[in-house]
């Protein structure tokens, strides 16, 4: 029997969480495939990539994180010629070796940390202006995470830069070998609007740590943050090697037409394909942080209140599911285009009557209350498209194995979550479900672990970053073999006699005893 649970979220509010969560005594009648959130969901109103397992239509999928069509076109002074001059200027600076030194890297990282400390108020104000993001949410989701990444890089940079010594083989004796990290060169970072500060600065921290010159292209859909980043970068960082380019599609197109040593893009799959196609023309490597839909599978015998709170927190973060859309703690939808798109999803035939909580809208303030829907039709746009808003669909499955199969039948998600105390199910989930990252009995928090890579797989992305992984993403691992002029054997040089052949075969087979015998003209059989 489907039960309706009143889940206490705080001392003042309750959320009716109806359907989809079964409480039974047998495992066969299990679970709810609760549709949680992508790992970047700290915000309540505007930007939550609703994470439902769903087939993504490759032709019609829309990049809501980087969509520029909603911005009025304007004449651009930054064209292909300007972009080429910018890249040439940065490459000239990079070729001087300026960015390679530990001193340059650490000074830029320290200036970023200083910038965050000194400009916290202006950064928070810009985030509020763009997204009505509450002050606490801005601090927790953007400033704190960015500062943490910066301080980790400052602390560990010497260790990251140190060459890694590796073993050599008998065939190169005497010798030594190392893996040396070197910067790629001049890199491009294209960020998204949903976390416009974090998703801009964190990749830049990785690029600087690795010793690169970098161009940042913030999202024009968050214009206040974009403008502030351009101002602050020019004040705090080395303008000869680190630049910000503002603008929309024309500017981004001009940048993509240039030759880069790497492109780091955060956004949706549609624009990701455009970025990858542009990069392929010049054989430029890419990191694509895409996203998509990320399922949360809830077993029937878990602590339902804790599971629901963690899913809600992953989806709506600081608001904790608060339904009052007039509250100062609810972020607004980023613009009217996205507001109408989300409202249309809720009003679609067969969907409107599935709302069990929320559904209120305030168009004049671009606010939509956190909304829960149960058993939304599979063919609805809410289930077929990326939602990117405060709508949380829940679908039910009769047994846990069905939930596994539903997830595997969809494109690989950026993150997948499982709520169960059953260790066997946890192991099966980790082993058999492919996703960029996972959380067991938790949502989102794996993103804050700097020792874990963050990135997608398949259609949810290419490459990973965070912590040392950011450094490695923007580095080339160069293998170096060191030898002296001593110990130069005639074995490797012509003429190739039968004796040399026997010795070399023994050496290449790691048969030291056989090699010694062959060297003196003997064999194991003699």
């Amino acid at each position: 029997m489907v039960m309706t649970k009143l889940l206490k979220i705080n001392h003042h509010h309750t959320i009716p969480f109806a359907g989809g969560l079964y409480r039974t005594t047998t495992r066969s009648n299990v679970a709810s495939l609760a549709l949680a959130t992508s790992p970047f969901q700290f915000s309540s109103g505007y930007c939550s990539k609703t994470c439902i397992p769903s087939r993504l239509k490759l032709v019609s999928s829309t990049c809501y994180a980087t969509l520029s069509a909603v911005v009025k076109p304007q004449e651009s002074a930054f064209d292909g010629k300007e972009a080429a001059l910018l890249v040439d200027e940065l490459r000239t600076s990079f070729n001087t070796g300026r960015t390679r030194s530990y001193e340059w890297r650490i000074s830029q990282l320290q200036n970023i940390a200083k910038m965050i400390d000194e400009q916290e108020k202006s950064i928070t104000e810009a985030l509020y202006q763009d997204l009505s993001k509450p002050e606490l949410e801005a601090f927790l989701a953007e400033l704190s995470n960015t500062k943490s990444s910066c301080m980790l890089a400052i602390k560990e940079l010497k260790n990251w830069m140190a060459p890694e010594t590796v073993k050599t083989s008998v065939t190169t004796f005497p010798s030594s070998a190392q893996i040396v990290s070197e910067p790629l060169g001049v890199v491009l970072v294209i960020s998204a609007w949903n976390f416009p500060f974090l998703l801009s600065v964190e990749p830049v921290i990785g690029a600087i740590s690795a010793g690169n010159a970098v161009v940042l292209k913030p999202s024009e859909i968050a214009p206040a943050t974009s403008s502030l980043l351009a101002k602050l970068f020019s004040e705090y960082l080395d303008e000869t090697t680190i630049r910000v380019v503002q603008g929309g599609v024309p500017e981004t197109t001009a940048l993509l037409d240039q030759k880069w040593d790497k492109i780091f893009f955060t956004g949706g799959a549609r624009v990701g394909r455009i970025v990858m196609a542009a990069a392929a023309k010049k054989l430029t490597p890419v990191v694509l942080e895409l996203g998509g839909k990320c399922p949360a599978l809830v077993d029937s015998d878990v602590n339902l209140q804790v599971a629901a709170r963690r899913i809600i927190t992953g989806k709506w973060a600081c608001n904790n599911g608060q339904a009052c859309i007039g509250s100062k703690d609810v972020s607004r939808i980023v613009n009217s285009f996205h507001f109408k798109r989300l409202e249309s999803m809720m009003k679609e035939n067969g969907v409107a009557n599935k709302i069990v909580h929320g559904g209120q809208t305030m168009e004049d303030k671009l606010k939509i209350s956190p909304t829960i829907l149960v058993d939304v039709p599979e063919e609805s746009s809410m289930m077929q498209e990326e939602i990117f808003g405060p709508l949380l669909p829940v679908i039910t499955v009769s047994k846990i194995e069905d939930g596994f199969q539903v997830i595997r039948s969809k494109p690989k998600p950026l993150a997948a979550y499982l709520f169960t105390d059953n260790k066997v199910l946890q192991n099966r989930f980790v082993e058999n479900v492919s996703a960029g990252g996972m959380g067991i009995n938790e949502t989102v928090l794996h993103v804050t672990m700097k020792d874990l890579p963050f990135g997608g797989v398949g259609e949810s992305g290419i490459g990973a970053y965070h912590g040392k992984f950011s450094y490695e993403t923007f580095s080339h691992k160069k293998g170096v073999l060191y030898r002296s002029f001593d110990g130069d054997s005639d074995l490797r040089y012509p003429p190739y006699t039968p004796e040399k052949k026997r010795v070399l075969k023994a050496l290449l087979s790691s048969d030291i005893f056989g090699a010694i015998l062959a060297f003196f003209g003997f064999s194991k059989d003699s």
Side-chain angles (χ1 to χ4, degrees):
M1 176 179 179
V2 178
M3 301 179 65
T4 299
K5 304 292 291 183
L6 291 177
L7 303 179
K8 287 199 172 185
I9 301 307
N10 55 43
H11 296 300
H12 306 290
H13 300 277
T14 59
I15 290 185
F17 201 94
L21 295 177
Y22 287 81
R23 303 288 286 177
T24 67
T25 57
T26 62
R27 182 163 300 281
S28 61
N29 189 16
V30 182
S32 161
L33 199 55
L35 305 164
T37 172
S38 108
F40 271 132
Q41 306 329 305
F42 293 92
S43 188
S44 64
Y46 66 94
C47 71
S48 304
K49 289 184 182 177
T50 302
C51 299
I52 332 169
S54 167
R55 291 180 178 85
L56 299 179
K57 296 182 178 179
L58 302 186
V59 175
S60 61
S61 62
T62 304
C63 169
Y64 295 127
T66 54
L67 190 65
S68 298
V70 298
V71 178
K72 292 181 180 180
Q74 54 186 4
E75 290 187 8
S76 172
F78 187 86
D79 55 14
K81 183 178 180 181
E82 291 290 324
L85 289 173
L86 172 62
V87 174
D88 286 345
E89 179 184 334
L90 293 183
R91 197 170 298 283
T92 298
S93 293
F94 174 79
N95 288 339
T96 66
R98 178 183 182 85
T99 66
R100 291 177 176 267
S101 72
Y102 171 81
E103 290 73 21
W104 180 88
R105 303 183 201 195
I106 206 72
S107 69
Q108 300 308 300
L109 294 173
Q110 289 170 341
N111 285 342
I112 290 177
K114 180 181 179 182
M115 177 186 78
I116 295 171
D117 287 338
E118 294 181 349
Q119 300 296 330
E120 179 179 334
K121 187 174 186 293
S122 60
I123 295 167
T124 301
E125 289 174 350
L127 292 171
Y128 187 82
Q129 184 176 339
D130 284 331
L131 302 160
S132 291
K133 185 168 287 195
E135 183 178 352
L136 177 61
E137 183 181 339
F139 175 78
L140 292 175
E142 305 225 34
L143 281 81
S144 177
N145 278 333
T146 309
K147 177 73 176 296
S148 175
S149 295
C150 191
M151 298 310 295
L152 177 66
I154 291 171
K155 178 183 176 182
E156 298 293 340
L157 185 58
K158 279 189 177 179
N159 293 330
W160 295 348
M161 291 178 65
E164 177 187 352
T165 300
V166 296
K167 294 180 179 179
T168 57
S169 68
V170 67
T171 56
T172 62
F173 180 85
S175 66
S176 62
Q178 291 181 327
I179 300 172
V180 178
S181 294
E182 66 176 11
L184 296 174
V186 182
V187 301
L188 172 65
V189 174
I190 304 173
S191 65
W193 56 262
N194 54 336
F195 290 86
F197 187 80
L198 173 69
L199 297 183
S200 294
V201 181
E202 179 143 9
V204 170
I205 290 171
I208 291 172
S209 299
N212 298 280
V214 56
V215 172
L216 168 65
K217 168 57 184 69
S219 173
E220 71 279 12
I221 301 180
T225 306
S226 176
S227 177
L228 181 63
L229 283 168
K231 176 178 179 291
L232 296 182
F233 272 39
S234 67
E235 292 177 1
Y236 284 85
L237 301 178
D238 178 6
E239 276 197 290
T240 67
T241 52
I242 304 167
R243 300 286 284 275
V244 175
V245 173
Q246 297 189 78
V249 172
E251 290 80 6
T252 305
T253 302
L255 290 170
L256 288 175
D257 284 341
Q258 309 310 310
K259 171 59 182 174
W260 304 92
D261 295 295
K262 194 159 206 173
I263 299 174
F264 188 108
F265 168 78
T266 302
R270 183 181 68 83
V271 178
R273 290 182 175 88
I274 295 171
V275 171
M276 194 169 184
K281 293 178 181 178
K282 294 178 171 61
L283 294 180
T284 301
V286 297
V287 173
L288 303 178
E289 294 291 337
L290 304 180
K293 300 177 181 294
C294 306
L297 183 58
V298 182
D299 202 352
S300 61
D301 57 358
V302 299
N303 185 322
L304 186 58
Q305 181 164 350
V306 172
R309 284 168 65 95
R310 290 178 181 177
I311 291 171
I312 288 168
T313 299
K315 179 68 174 176
W316 297 308
C318 300
N319 309 310
N320 213 11
Q322 187 169 277
C324 176
I325 61 175
S327 168
K328 64 181 177 62
D329 291 329
V330 180
S331 301
R332 65 172 171 83
I333 308 302
V334 68
N335 52 40
S336 59
F337 171 86
H338 287 284
F339 180 91
K340 293 183 182 301
R341 178 181 60 80
L342 292 166
E343 187 178 47
S344 175
M345 280 186 175
M346 289 194 295
K347 291 181 177 180
E348 191 174 330
N349 288 338
V351 174
N353 63 342
K354 301 297 184 180
I355 297 174
V356 297
H357 173 76
Q360 299 94 345
T361 63
M362 294 179 67
E363 185 172 2
D364 60 329
K365 295 185 177 181
L366 296 180
K367 290 191 174 184
I368 298 176
S369 65
T371 301
I372 299 170
L373 307 93
V374 174
D375 290 332
V376 175
E378 173 68 18
E379 65 276 8
S380 66
S381 59
M382 188 175 296
M383 298 298 291
Q384 293 296 319
E385 299 176 10
E386 191 172 37
I387 296 175
F388 229 67
L391 313 180
L392 178 64
V394 179
I395 63 175
T396 58
V397 292
S398 60
K399 55 185 179 179
I400 202 79
E401 291 76 13
D402 293 345
F404 282 40
Q405 183 54 41
V406 169
I407 296 172
R408 286 196 297 260
S409 69
K410 312 298 182 181
K412 296 176 181 179
L414 181 60
Y417 306 111
L418 174 68
F419 288 82
T420 183
D421 288 323
N422 187 302
K423 299 298 183 183
V424 174
L425 284 178
Q426 291 178 9
N427 291 336
R428 284 176 51 200
F429 190 75
V430 172
E431 292 174 1
N432 297 310
V433 174
S434 181
M438 283 186 170
I440 304 298
N441 296 327
E442 188 54 85
T443 63
V444 177
L445 288 185
H446 69 290
V447 179
T448 67
M449 300 288 294
K450 300 306 178 184
D451 288 332
L452 291 178
F454 175 70
V457 59
E459 291 187 23
S460 60
I462 299 170
Y465 71 127
H466 286 188
K468 187 178 181 181
F469 302 100
S470 294
Y471 175 86
E472 293 179 342
T473 285
F474 288 102
S475 298
H476 167 62
K477 296 293 188 180
K478 180 168 59 180
V480 182
L481 175 69
Y482 296 92
R483 294 197 74 196
S484 71
F485 290 100
D486 298 327
D488 192 45
S489 171
D490 290 336
L491 287 173
R492 60 186 291 197
Y493 304 115
Y496 299 119
T497 64
E499 290 77 14
K500 287 183 179 180
K501 179 180 177 182
R502 285 195 297 270
V503 174
L504 286 171
K505 287 184 68 175
L507 286 173
L508 293 173
S509 301
S510 299
D511 183 3
I512 304 301
F513 181 66
I516 294 172
L517 289 175
F519 183 79
F520 289 103
F522 300 100
S523 68
K524 286 185 176 181
D525 298 329
S526 61

